[in-house]
Amino acid sequence: MVANMDFAMSDKAQDYQKRLTDFMVTEVLPAEESYDAYRAAAGPRDFTVPPVVEELKASAKKRGLWNLFLPDESGLTNLEYAPLAEISGWSTEIAPEAINCAAPDTGNMETLHLFATEAQRRDWLEPLLAGEIRSGFSMTEPAVASSDARNIETLITRDGDDYVINGRKWWTSGANDPRCKILIVMGRTDPTAPPHQQQSMILVPVDTPGVQILRSTSVFGWQDQHGHAEIVYDNVRVPASNLLGQEGSGFAIAQARLGPGRIHHCMRAIGVAERALALMVDRANRRIAFGKPLADQGMVQQAIAVSRNEIDQARLLCQRAAWTIDQHGNKAARNQVAQIKAVAPRMACDVIDRAIQVHGAAGVSDDTVLARMYGWQRAMRIFDGPDEVHLRSIARAELGAEKSPLAAAVVPQ
């Protein structure tokens, strides 16, 4: 048990929360109608950004709401960033990008910040931090269970002063967006090395010959504006200087990248759930059934109460993980990050599902945001490690933990 945890919001975080809330209420949420109208007119296979997003980005910069996720840029701790990421979760398709805190760019910027050379930083990190380009993270493969990254089959082969890449990836989020200029690709550089030293990561510009973007896979029939690309790498040749870190460091880089990324997703999931609950409460107060508002129905009251409990529980767990990262580092918070990654998406799915039920037929249509919200939160139970992988990690930690004095006293020796 860790004592002296303090989750009180700092003055700095309170100031950011006030300014971000104003930005969301006055600009981001009103922009959703324009965003949706542009995408509907453009069609699901058009991945160009709706102009309103670039307008919001310019406004966010002026307001000082930019790159909040990266402590070295914003000066915010993970605990201070948590309520801000939650607020952005109220409009997950627009707000994170508007403040340059959207995946996969956040994880890629963190990776470049930690492992890139000066030249790599200049060419790719700086334009990403400025919001001038976007990026993709190319790890998952259709032919293998990529939740165990040791299965990854893409080959990165040294050839003189170059590396040659051959393989097939999918779910490379962001790569369909025409603003995507750089891909971080994970593959095997030495299949004979120990399992966790076989993989490496390398930077591949999207316009490199041999990079073939085949399609974007949908999520429950919905196409993300940035796309989730299936990509073939066919004898893709890049300079050896594009390697991130050292050969064989792919696993270590992946863990450094995914730790903060996982918790950021969870922070936003709490905001998603809060929006679903707000919609549920509003619907319950306005909708009449059997002669009285839904809010007077015991089953609806229970759905609202349980949702509030679950959201607040998940928030506390997220704050604990963020606090531990700040105080003791990513490694020390590994199990707590696994806990919140297994809890937050499931919680969000449950809350959204209740909101859908209260909305009836409207809840499963595109007349509300609930169906779209559910699809993405359900997908989050798979990406960045499926629930089962995180639960296994939690169980292993529990099984291997030293017994507390109380447990030792009641368990036979």
Side-chain angles (χ1 to χ4, degrees):
M1 182 178 295
V2 180
N4 301 321
M5 288 187 181
D6 184 1
F7 299 156
M9 194 178 297
S10 67
D11 291 342
K12 178 192 291 186
Q14 290 183 47
D15 175 61
Y16 271 105
Q17 183 186 46
K18 181 178 179 180
R19 290 189 285 127
L20 182 57
T21 298
D22 181 72
F23 179 55
M24 291 287 293
V25 170
T26 62
E27 297 194 57
V28 175
L29 294 172
E32 289 184 338
E33 184 176 355
S34 171
Y35 180 93
D36 289 341
Y38 181 93
R39 293 214 58 210
R45 300 296 174 182
D46 187 329
F47 299 99
T48 56
V49 62
V52 70
V53 174
E54 294 298 343
E55 296 170 9
L56 291 169
K57 287 166 63 176
S59 179
K61 284 184 178 181
K62 290 180 181 178
R63 289 171 176 260
L65 301 170
W66 194 252
N67 292 330
L68 304 179
F69 73 98
L70 193 60
D72 284 354
E73 289 288 319
S74 66
L76 294 166
T77 65
N78 284 282
L79 184 60
E80 289 173 324
Y81 176 59
L84 308 179
E86 177 181 329
I87 292 169
S88 74
W90 281 70
S91 183
T92 51
E93 289 184 78
I94 302 178
E97 181 175 2
I99 59 176
N100 213 37
C101 294
D105 290 335
T106 47
N108 290 342
M109 285 187 273
E110 287 164 337
T111 299
L112 291 167
H113 175 73
L114 291 171
F115 301 103
T117 64
E118 287 303 314
Q120 292 168 347
R121 286 170 175 255
R122 181 192 65 239
D123 293 344
W124 306 116
L125 178 57
E126 291 179 11
L128 281 168
L129 288 171
E132 298 168 354
I133 65 172
R134 294 213 56 166
S135 60
F137 184 65
S138 209
M139 177 177 173
T140 306
E141 298 182 1
V144 300
S146 302
S147 55
D148 180 356
R150 293 172 299 180
N151 292 333
I152 289 174
E153 295 177 340
T154 294
L155 293 177
I156 303 174
T157 307
R158 185 68 183 253
D159 183 23
D161 292 333
D162 297 331
Y163 282 101
V164 179
I165 304 161
N166 283 283
R168 180 183 291 259
K169 302 284 189 179
W170 69 342
W171 297 101
T172 301
S173 299
N176 299 93
D177 191 317
R179 297 169 298 162
C180 180
K181 302 301 180 185
I182 190 67
L183 304 168
I184 297 180
V185 181
M186 185 165 176
R188 284 184 174 174
T189 44
D190 185 359
T192 66
H196 289 88
Q197 297 175 22
Q198 295 182 8
Q199 306 283 345
S200 301
M201 289 193 189
I202 196 161
L203 295 165
V204 179
V206 172
D207 60 2
T208 305
V211 176
Q212 303 172 23
I213 298 179
L214 303 182
R215 62 168 179 149
S216 170
T217 47
S218 63
V219 177
F220 288 99
W222 178 257
Q223 282 288 350
D224 182 75
Q225 186 263 299
H226 312 291
H228 302 293
E230 182 172 357
I231 305 177
V232 169
Y233 296 90
D234 184 10
N235 288 317
V236 174
R237 182 176 293 269
V238 297
S241 58
N242 283 26
L243 191 72
L244 275 173
Q246 305 297 318
E247 277 198 14
S249 64
F251 273 91
I253 294 174
Q255 290 305 309
R257 181 190 187 279
L258 289 173
R262 285 172 176 146
I263 196 171
H264 294 166
H265 277 305
C266 295
M267 294 169 180
R268 287 189 291 269
I270 294 167
V272 172
E274 284 283 10
R275 181 170 183 175
L277 178 55
L279 292 170
M280 190 188 338
V281 168
D282 180 71
R283 179 76 167 189
N285 282 323
R286 289 188 296 107
R287 197 71 163 179
I288 305 298
F290 303 104
K292 58 183 179 180
L294 290 177
D296 290 344
Q297 309 286 350
M299 293 294 290
V300 175
Q301 292 177 356
Q302 179 175 332
I304 291 170
V306 170
S307 296
R308 169 50 61 206
N309 289 346
E310 290 177 352
I311 292 171
D312 288 355
Q313 288 167 350
R315 180 182 291 112
L316 286 169
L317 189 58
C318 193
Q319 289 173 328
R320 182 187 180 210
W323 182 90
T324 303
I325 291 174
D326 291 335
Q327 299 297 319
H328 305 291
N330 288 337
K331 187 174 181 180
R334 180 176 55 194
N335 290 328
Q336 292 172 20
V337 171
Q339 285 180 287
I340 190 57
K341 180 60 175 64
V343 166
R346 183 185 290 270
M347 174 277 297
C349 284
D350 289 344
V351 174
I352 297 167
D353 185 69
R354 296 184 196 112
I356 289 173
Q357 196 72 13
V358 170
H359 279 75
V364 298
S365 75
D366 286 339
D367 288 357
T368 72
V369 297
L370 293 169
R372 196 185 312 172
M373 287 164 56
Y374 182 88
W376 184 246
Q377 297 306 308
R378 183 60 183 83
M380 194 163 73
R381 291 184 55 196
I382 297 172
F383 66 70
D384 282 3
D387 288 357
E388 292 78 5
V389 170
H390 295 297
L391 291 170
R392 182 185 65 171
S393 297
I394 297 163
R396 286 179 171 177
E398 195 69 18
L399 290 167
E402 183 179 350
K403 291 180 182 177
S404 71
L406 291 172
V410 300
V411 176
Q413 301 299 312

